[in-house]
Amino acid sequence: MREIHVLNGPNLNLLGRREPAIYGTATLADIEADLAKIGAARGVSLTFRQTNSEGELVTWVQEAGLAGAGVILNAGAYTHTSIALHDAIRASGAKVVEIHLSNIHGRETFRQHSFISSAALGVIFGFGALGHRLALEAPLSLAEHNRAAS
Amino acid sequence: MREIHVLNGPNLNLLGRREPAIYGTATLADIEADLAKIGAARGVSLTFRQTNSEGELVTWVQEAGLAGAGVILNAGAYTHTSIALHDAIRASGAKVVEIHLSNIHGRETFRQHSFISSAALGVIFGFGALGHRLALEAPLSLAEHNRAAS
Amino acid sequence: MREIHVLNGPNLNLLGRREPAIYGTATLADIEADLAKIGAARGVSLTFRQTNSEGELVTWVQEAGLAGAGVILNAGAYTHTSIALHDAIRASGAKVVEIHLSNIHGRETFRQHSFISSAALGVIFGFGALGHRLALEAPLSLAEHNRAAS
Amino acid sequence: MREIHVLNGPNLNLLGRREPAIYGTATLADIEADLAKIGAARGVSLTFRQTNSEGELVTWVQEAGLAGAGVILNAGAYTHTSIALHDAIRASGAKVVEIHLSNIHGRETFRQHSFISSAALGVIFGFGALGHRLALEAPLSLAEHNRAAS
Amino acid sequence: MREIHVLNGPNLNLLGRREPAIYGTATLADIEADLAKIGAARGVSLTFRQTNSEGELVTWVQEAGLAGAGVILNAGAYTHTSIALHDAIRASGAKVVEIHLSNIHGRETFRQHSFISSAALGVIFGFGALGHRLALEAPLSLAEHNRAAS
Amino acid sequence: MREIHVLNGPNLNLLGRREPAIYGTATLADIEADLAKIGAARGVSLTFRQTNSEGELVTWVQEAGLAGAGVILNAGAYTHTSIALHDAIRASGAKVVEIHLSNIHGRETFRQHSFISSAALGVIFGFGALGHRLALEAPLSLAEHNRAAS
Amino acid sequence: MREIHVLNGPNLNLLGRREPAIYGTATLADIEADLAKIGAARGVSLTFRQTNSEGELVTWVQEAGLAGAGVILNAGAYTHTSIALHDAIRASGAKVVEIHLSNIHGRETFRQHSFISSAALGVIFGFGALGHRLALEAPLSLAEHNRAAS
Amino acid sequence: MREIHVLNGPNLNLLGRREPAIYGTATLADIEADLAKIGAARGVSLTFRQTNSEGELVTWVQEAGLAGAGVILNAGAYTHTSIALHDAIRASGAKVVEIHLSNIHGRETFRQHSFISSAALGVIFGFGALGHRLALEAPLSLAEHNRAAS
Amino acid sequence: MREIHVLNGPNLNLLGRREPAIYGTATLADIEADLAKIGAARGVSLTFRQTNSEGELVTWVQEAGLAGAGVILNAGAYTHTSIALHDAIRASGAKVVEIHLSNIHGRETFRQHSFISSAALGVIFGFGALGHRLALEAPLSLAEHNRAAS
Amino acid sequence: MREIHVLNGPNLNLLGRREPAIYGTATLADIEADLAKIGAARGVSLTFRQTNSEGELVTWVQEAGLAGAGVILNAGAYTHTSIALHDAIRASGAKVVEIHLSNIHGRETFRQHSFISSAALGVIFGFGALGHRLALEAPLSLAEHNRAAS
Amino acid sequence: MREIHVLNGPNLNLLGRREPAIYGTATLADIEADLAKIGAARGVSLTFRQTNSEGELVTWVQEAGLAGAGVILNAGAYTHTSIALHDAIRASGAKVVEIHLSNIHGRETFRQHSFISSAALGVIFGFGALGHRLALEAPLSLAEHNRAAS
Amino acid sequence: MREIHVLNGPNLNLLGRREPAIYGTATLADIEADLAKIGAARGVSLTFRQTNSEGELVTWVQEAGLAGAGVILNAGAYTHTSIALHDAIRASGAKVVEIHLSNIHGRETFRQHSFISSAALGVIFGFGALGHRLALEAPLSLAEHNRAAS
């Protein structure tokens, strides 16, 4: 998997500006720059996109899935309400790693169910900005592991 | 009712590409072509639209309702989460036939409630692509039946 | 599918007599006569039965299923309480189109779950007497569609 | 209302034989004889019927309703499970007084909801065999009260 | 049981003034006068009390119970919220017939549970002002029945 | 206990015809023949009955209970919905062993509660046709055990 | 509406003494003085009452309703438990504006349902002492608006 | 804490009269006399009050809290329904030890939640009349313990 | 707070056209004109925006919050389903007054929870078009009150 | 299946000592001796183990499963709380017959769900000590039945 | 009752080390030393045990119960999940006083139900280390009280 | 954090033996060897432990927390039932990364809640054996990131 789309949902454009106790001080641009450096070093093509619109996020997941690209998806609040995103993953066959910066299991009740999780390969929650790195590591390690094994 | 809008919601643009066991192999274009032929034969003007955006679907239902057109609506996953669509039907007075290709009652729990149904004239679920034909038949037969009775 | 059993459950013998605001003014005899005409024109053998007994309805569904006949089933109030009917459909392999004259999704809470739906091919609710026509149309169109495609 | 049908549902044929701590020692025949005497004295025609079959009970409620007769209904366990009986009352327009010998509100949870109650004129629970007398008194007193008032 | 307390709870002082579609046009004074006449004819001493206070109603139930008087109790809205009344009946040993003018089972969900019912001898709901008569009839008939049987 | 009634409920007449993955290939006649042989060898009189009607099943349980016969009861889908059967067991004093061929705890949610169980002596689920043998063994072993102990 | 009753329920006599982080530092007397000034300026007669007793609050709502006065009601904790207050509003026809100083939707779960709201004209929550001013403004503005429009 | 108010709620005036299996045979006067003796010996001023009125109990808790007195509170049935008492404790800052004579966790479901507990210092349930002694011991021991530690 | 954004969500563009029994006859343009006049008189800059798109509403709330403007928000049906709006308010620090024209507590169950309320300063429901005036009054009065107090 | 492990969980070491009304008077040693005799007669090797530790029970189930031995498992209270036992059965492939001496369906609510049942071959509840015999009979009869059929 | 076992469950070995805001600064050894002094003074033999194992706690409760010793039990987190402990109390007849240092009713939802409470004599929650003293006082006072009364 | 304990709970000793479709073919020894190699390369001391006992797992978490070691915890089925583990993490201050090999959000309902998650730093589910690597990466990357930033 040489191409990975890093898709961020609603309000993640405000990362680093407010509520640092929950979300940290890194901005989305900081995180994307950090990932871009790693991607360049490991030979992975990365695409970065953010939107507040559920429909646009659905479309981007479809595009990634149909293109065979991997997806690192932080769907923000749509995580908890969007069956359309669940369907987009299944219908497009996208290989999705779901991440959240905070540990949603330790927050409000309405944040404790995810419609993404049951359609994702795996989930990584609670590691702050580091979560993106781990999410990127997952498919890369897996690929290297498979190469080594073959 | 001589004008009917056929409105499709999120992920229905992928019809026929994936998960044929659930949704069949006909693409949305195939279905629309099939309906267009029937519409032409029966003298009905048909408008076809698809979107992944809830807000756009709300706007289209409003337009159909205000124009006095009938609506065949497959709201996809928004079926289960969108009170805004329910309100759009009621507020615009749209006459809606709700359809789903699969029988949502036999699927995951979160697909078994529809916010559309209680605002729709009637519902047709589970007949695959044929469902669109039945949905088109409903207002036409009704009209003919009424003409015959008068 | 050349033989279709039209099975009606409890209280449908009173159709057209009371609560016309909900169920319309057509009697069950009117509806059956209407279907019989269509069946004759399309070469389908139709059998009409009505009962207030859950057990008898179970037996009739079994008979239809074992005979390979299609079933148009309005199970009335047993729709919401009868696991036995659900099992009869599955155990006999009956191909059932479930109908209701009213849109049960817009009525009392206790009418919003159907034990029939998850065992049926498809469901048609809310079109009044016309629903029977659409239910009859479903297998016929499908058959013609299949013939045309072959 | 000069004609009243006294309809008893499942297991009430065993009244007086077992569980007297809950239901008392009077048999159904005793109760019917007692009511018959009162009916004769007050000029009311009484019809007595008991069945273990839900469908038969549905049919009898329909017959009473269509005939304009009043109904004293102890639906036994069907009280808690039968939407079909609820519908039979509404569809036939039967004027039903619902009774139970025991106070169902003080028993198991599954006996604390009645599908009959919301379709009945009124309910009388917990007075044992005397409940039938009170149930008979209800329409008679009402009629006399109305005559006196006119 | 020669002494009966007729206890009415909150808002029943407004009977006959408003919402006659639900509660009828008889005032509480009308009902009490009607019962007084019957009581006089049958040799029963009747005490009438109404209050908007839960605590006062608790005290009155205690007084009736300790005095060995019967109780006809319409606890109004406290029916659905007052465990204190439930306890007062049990702790004082009061013999209570619970009544409501309307059929609470056909109204809002929050009116469908009664804390009184499981501590009462029996319940009579839905007969309007006539309910008080039936409630008075219950212990009187029972007493006569017992006398006749002895 | 020398007489045992083997009562089977709805859809068990189709045993062995369909869904063998769940219910096995033995027909009800096969099972009854197998039991009859064992009964003959052990000196037990066996009566076999099957019905799709809840009311008839209620009546048969009553008859067995009043006759002092033991009951092996597979109530099929009525297991999950019939309070009337629960009452029939209690009211007639029938000694019931409840069986199911499949392990209902591993199936759909709506099959995981039984109204029969809390009124039965014991339950045996999941052993297929062998369950009937075990159910027959239960009272026989118990009797022999008691004889040996006396 | 020239006469308005300002009714406060349990514990509001302690306003300004404790928990200022939730309820502010103004005492109930401060708030009433502030309203009185506005009322005098706008020609409205204001009546102020506070009680810890549910029954007394029921009586006061009845009095206001029967007198045709408007009501600004902060029922304190009875908001969440008192069906009797709900009934008093409906039965007396009182025109009630419901207020709370804190935003009850952001507090404990048991404070998030109000039995008053569904019987009130409107609700105003979360504006602290200012809420009383807005509540007073509501009927006054409406009246002026109506005068201007006529 | 030299002053302690012992507050008892609804139906506790009947202690010792009825239901001794649940509540014991000691009357409220017996318990108060027992506590008075201990209080005198330990130099604590005790105030005893009982009421059936929720509002009065709210007022008494407020008075104790504002006076800085400790409170031993058995709120009877209001334990389970009164948010107003919860608020009175919080708003007045009363230091409350909650007691019940019976172990409410072993009784009816509706007695298993207490609105008092989450606002109280601690709870003591199930020790009968002895519970009052333990409740009195709690603050006294604590005070002595603190004195010894200083 | 000298700048206020008045943001309206889905279907509010249809105000005044349909369902006047629920929403009144004023159009959104009427309401905005009314507010504009008041704003001009009180020296407040007002911005008016309406959209059917959840994502666009999220973006507008963010913009208002980041600009330090106040917000009057009627999120329409997204009120009940949008955690993204809840997050937008918190993440941007927007000071939001939530309004609804109708009293949502007296309507369908699915309209009785708001994800906006727990993030808003306060809520104003049920006053029709007047609600916008009260919502505007809230921050203005508060500001004046604070000026007077300083 | 020639080797069977009879595993008993917490508190079953106290069998026969207390609560004989529920569990009977036979001790665990009595039951094991009885089974040992039968096993010897039928050529089955039996292993008996009891523990109060969930972890130890998990280990024993694993050992039986990996050894290909059958298991008769009465997990006591862990039946209702232990997903670890469920997993041990599935992960080790153990063939488990689940038994309980009492009929858990007729006891407290928290005893009515079993995490064992959905992983077991079958369940036998309510036959007291005899249940162990039936549980032993199940695999033996099955084996003999299969031998006879081959 | 001259012998008392003081049994502490999981994580109570860490008392005094962490989270002093919830559990205080006294270690378990401090508390045991304090109790030992009191026990010595009052002539009671005390046994102290702590374990993180549910099974071991079950065994210790059994031992205490069979030996006729009283039990002061803080089952820690097993309080909320262990039906096995509930059964151990009932099966061994142990006389248990349940304690918790914190008031579990004011903490997370999952700590608000106790499986111990309904099997215990009484409960004492929220008094910190002092709770052990009160728990010890309970049986001692009761014994003295009984001696005085005899 | 130079020391990390890798703790595995019930049934993980069977990894690689069964159900490879869910858990993969690597044994626990394989995974530990893989981690040991990485740890050696990165200078981290790793401790490996597995147990089927909840109490032992509680003790090990306590030990790791008190020693200041990091924890990679796969609590197996205790994840869903063990409040004791939740408390052990909080009480010992252990820094825990929670992992599961499968994506528990896509499995049975009873596996979708974790008592570990709300006390853990973060969670990693669904990556099979690779999850352990990612879990090890998390604290190491964080440490390197922090070193680089200082």
Side-chain angles (χ1 to χ4, degrees), chain D residues 24-84:
Chain D
T25 56
T27 64
L28 186 54
D30 294 340
I31 290 172
E32 292 176 351
D34 182 56
L35 288 181
K37 239 183 306 177
I38 299 175
R42 305 278 285 263
V44 184
S45 158
L46 291 168
T47 302
F48 301 103
R49 289 172 148 183
Q50 188 275 336
T51 179
N52 290 332
S53 155
E54 181 181 6
E56 196 160 40
L57 209 49
V58 165
T59 301
W60 291 349
V61 167
Q62 288 183 355
E63 289 174 5
L66 296 178
V71 180
I72 296 174
L73 176 61
N74 182 343
Y78 295 139
T79 300
H80 317 297
T81 61
S82 178
I83 302 175

Side-chain angles (χ1 to χ4, degrees), chain I residues 94-137:
Chain I
K95 305 296 182 213
V96 171
V97 175
E98 180 191 12
I99 67 169
H100 292 285
L101 301 180
S102 64
N103 185 341
I104 62 176
H105 297 299
R107 300 183 63 196
E108 301 97 323
T109 304
F110 59 76
R111 289 193 211 275
Q112 294 184 13
H113 177 262
S114 161
F115 279 110
I116 311 298
S117 293
S118 59
L121 292 181
V123 305
I124 297 175
F125 301 162
F127 297 99
L130 176 63
H132 281 92
R133 282 197 186 187
L134 293 174
L136 185 53
E137 191 64 28

Side-chain angles (χ1 to χ4, degrees), chain G residues 10-14 17-19 23 50 52-54 76-78 80-81 107-108 110-111, chain H residues 53-56 58-59 62 65-66 81-88 90-93 115:
Chain G
N11 296 305
L12 290 159
N13 57 323
L14 298 186
R17 293 208 186 190
R18 289 181 179 267
E19 302 192 285
Y23 298 108
Q50 188 276 333
N52 290 332
S53 157
E54 182 181 6
Y78 294 139
H80 316 297
T81 60
R107 300 185 61 196
E108 300 98 321
F110 60 75
R111 287 193 213 276
Chain H
S53 157
E54 182 181 6
E56 198 160 38
V58 166
T59 300
Q62 288 184 354
L66 297 177
T81 61
S82 178
I83 302 175
L85 278 168
H86 175 100
D87 286 359
R90 290 224 190 276
S92 70
F115 279 111

Side-chain angles (χ1 to χ4, degrees), chain C residues 54-55 58-59 62 66 81 83-84 86-88 90-93 115, chain F residues 10-11 13-14 17-19 52-54 77-78 80-81 108 110-111:
Chain C
E54 181 182 6
V58 165
T59 301
Q62 289 184 353
L66 296 178
T81 61
I83 302 174
H86 174 100
D87 287 0
R90 289 224 191 278
S92 70
F115 278 110
Chain F
N11 296 304
N13 56 324
L14 299 186
R17 294 211 187 186
R18 290 183 179 265
E19 304 191 285
N52 291 332
S53 156
E54 180 181 7
Y78 294 140
H80 317 297
T81 61
E108 301 98 321
F110 60 75
R111 287 194 214 274

Side-chain angles (χ1 to χ4, degrees), chain C residues 1-6 45 47 60-72 92-96:
Chain C
M1 191 183 304
R2 299 288 78 187
E3 189 184 0
I4 292 179
H5 291 208
V6 180
S45 158
T47 302
W60 291 350
V61 167
Q62 289 184 353
E63 291 174 4
L66 296 178
V71 180
I72 295 175
S92 70
K95 304 297 182 211
V96 171

Side-chain angles (χ1 to χ4, degrees), chain H residues 65-116:
Chain H
L66 297 177
V71 180
I72 295 173
L73 175 61
N74 182 341
Y78 294 140
T79 299
H80 317 296
T81 61
S82 178
I83 302 175
L85 278 168
H86 175 100
D87 286 359
I89 298 172
R90 290 224 190 276
S92 70
K95 304 297 182 212
V96 171
V97 175
E98 180 191 12
I99 67 167
H100 292 285
L101 302 180
S102 64
N103 185 342
I104 62 176
H105 297 299
R107 300 183 62 195
E108 301 98 322
T109 305
F110 60 76
R111 288 192 213 276
Q112 294 184 12
H113 177 261
S114 162
F115 279 111
I116 311 299

